[in-house]
Amino acid sequence: MQEKIICFLIDDDHDDQEIFSLALNAIDEEIDCITANDGVDAINRLRRDRGFTPDFIFLDLNMLRMSGRECLKEIKKIPHLNDIPVIIYSTSSEQKDITETMLLGASDYIVKPPSISILTKRLEQVLRKE
């Protein structure tokens, strides 16, 4: 990969954050993985820090303070993020969730896989689309 990629993961599960970071690191050690522990913190940072424009936003659906759907709606209201792909990263494989989030503006949907190697391959597909 040519330039440094910044991925912003919004997920309230610290184990999932760690696994996600390890998978990105396996793709390229130069990829920055910045995390937010919930949608409220993520939205506050994205609104407050206009200099923070990640290349990709990965968003868990099932979070306590603000659901992934609510967070996605709020991200889509922030003008400087209009061109940033938001990828849902969830344990849910329900077609209803996939369809609904795509209609809300998600650009892709990843079901949390059972292994880091599968996640690594899937993330590589997403990152190489650019």
Side-chain angles (χ1 to χ4, degrees), residues 97-115:
D97 290 332
I98 297 168
T99 303
E100 190 177 309
T101 54
M102 297 302 267
L103 289 171
L104 289 173
S107 59
D108 207 339
Y109 194 105
I110 297 174
V111 177
K112 292 180 181 179
S115 74

Side-chain angles (χ1 to χ4, degrees), residues 1-128:
M1 294 185 178
Q2 280 78 34
E3 59 189 57
K4 193 168 195 123
I5 293 174
I6 298 170
C7 294
F8 188 37
L9 173 63
I10 306 164
D11 194 324
D12 59 357
D13 185 310
H14 292 285
D15 289 338
D16 284 346
Q17 288 178 6
E18 179 72 20
I19 290 165
F20 191 90
S21 255
L22 290 170
L24 284 178
N25 199 272
I27 295 168
D28 187 333
E29 292 178 8
E30 293 296 309
I31 298 173
D32 275 346
C33 182
I34 297 164
T35 59
N37 294 322
D38 63 46
V40 174
D41 289 343
I43 293 301
N44 287 340
R45 174 157 191 196
L46 290 166
R47 282 194 180 129
R48 183 183 66 242
D49 186 357
R50 291 189 58 84
F52 176 60
T53 306
D55 297 293
F56 297 89
I57 297 172
F58 293 87
L59 175 60
D60 185 24
L61 280 185
N62 303 310
M63 296 182 290
L64 293 177
R65 286 177 59 192
M66 175 188 279
S67 76
R69 279 177 194 74
E70 292 172 283
C71 189
L72 177 59
K73 289 177 190 174
E74 292 304 310
I75 289 169
K76 292 300 176 183
K77 293 178 186 174
I78 303 171
H80 74 277
L81 300 177
N82 284 344
D83 296 329
I84 308 302
V86 180
I87 298 98
I88 303 302
Y89 178 59
S90 177
T91 54
S92 171
S93 59
E94 295 288 324
Q95 188 58 49
K96 172 181 80 69
D97 290 332
I98 297 168
T99 303
E100 190 177 309
T101 54
M102 297 302 267
L103 289 171
L104 289 173
S107 59
D108 207 339
Y109 194 105
I110 297 174
V111 177
K112 292 180 181 179
S115 74
I116 289 180
S117 62
I118 295 170
L119 177 59
T120 302
K121 286 182 186 129
R122 185 66 177 93
L123 287 175
E124 202 161 16
Q125 291 171 341
V126 170
L127 299 178
R128 302 252 186 244

